[in-house]
Amino acid sequence: MDLNEIRNEIDGIDDELVRLFDRRMALAGEIAAYKRDNGLPVSDRTREREIVSRVTQGMDERLAAYTKVLFSTLFDLSRSVQDRALQGPSALADAIRRAAETTPREFPSGATVAVQGREGSYSSIACDRLFQRPSIMYFNTFESVFQAVEKGFCRYGILPIENSLYGSVTEVYDLMSKYNFHIARSVRIKIDHALLAKKGTKLSDIREIVSHEQALGQCADFIKSLGDVRVTVYPNTAEAARAVAESGRDDIAALASHDCASLYGLSVLKTNVQNSDNNHTRFICIAKDIEIYPGANRVSLMLTLPHRPGSLYRLMAKFAALGLNLTKLESRPIEGMDFEFMFYFDIEADVCSEAVLGLLGDLDNAPETFNFLGAYSEI
């Protein structure tokens, strides 16, 4: 056969596959009704294993592997059809639609905002980027920011989530699973660290450098170039700058923002001391309730997956099938559980599209842990 003849035959097979697929999904709906009436669970791993064994009997090993992938996808789709039939309309999908309709058209210019650190910290700089007139409440820890938002003390909270040089802020990721919150917006700011010391101090005098762990990591090459210098971790960069100003010492310096020099009466010994000039930190702005502002094009999710081969692949295949671009995947071990992980996803998507709402509803109805973290835009 020539190429056109081969393609025509494939088209005929595809048409037959679509007809059979439609019939298979219709039967899945009938099975859902039977399971509902008889109190049976949707998932039947024994039945699925028997089907794969039957259809791959006598196949070439390579083709058998492809066939297993095909039928695993069919099983996922069948379970989705049955879940939707048994669960009914998704409460999460309804909540997202409601939030998209009721959220104001413009992001607020002023609000009470929880920020970790003190004036001059990079979190406060991120807050000023997001809000024109913020009323900032400063807290000592990231956990306190989550608590302030969850308990309603502050409408919003600002948290660093990842840095282009030093990676994810793991403490924030670990806290995400403990608190109820939703991301309303995010901001990406350029980080330029300066070495700050008391007036009259020279670079050669420095014997100790203090700062936040992330800043110290981002400036590791510069610190190494100074030779035998002690490094001390502080809760945040602005707190480190304040400590240097109040220390009474001329052999200590802080890695912090340029703003901290004027705020705490310090001198700038050296500017832009980070390992690379391409140094950016991404901050999220969290709220207690779902807020979806116009232009939201990023969706964040947090979930666990069955501890079985291919679980992560099958989930990502669903994203790919809908044409969703996965921009971040982070995994964190679950405390107290061996080899169990919480996965964090960022996806470029229109959360109000019916296809995306359907997927979120399926994930929300699954037996595993699932949290919709928000739909938002980044500035």
Side-chain angles (χ1 to χ4, degrees), residues 40 59 69 92 97 120 156 160 163 173 224 262 286 305 358 360-361 363 373:
L40 298 175
M59 270 189 173
V69 172
L92 174 61
R97 291 189 188 97
Y156 297 106
N163 176 264
Y173 277 102
K224 186 178 180 181
S262 57
I286 65 171
L305 290 169
L360 296 179
L363 294 174
L373 298 184

Side-chain angles (χ1 to χ4, degrees), residues 32-50:
Y34 181 88
K35 289 180 176 178
R36 180 189 60 231
D37 295 340
N38 292 274
L40 298 175
V42 168
S43 182
D44 187 343
R45 297 294 175 187
T46 301
R47 166 69 173 161
E48 293 175 4
R49 194 177 298 110
E50 290 172 350

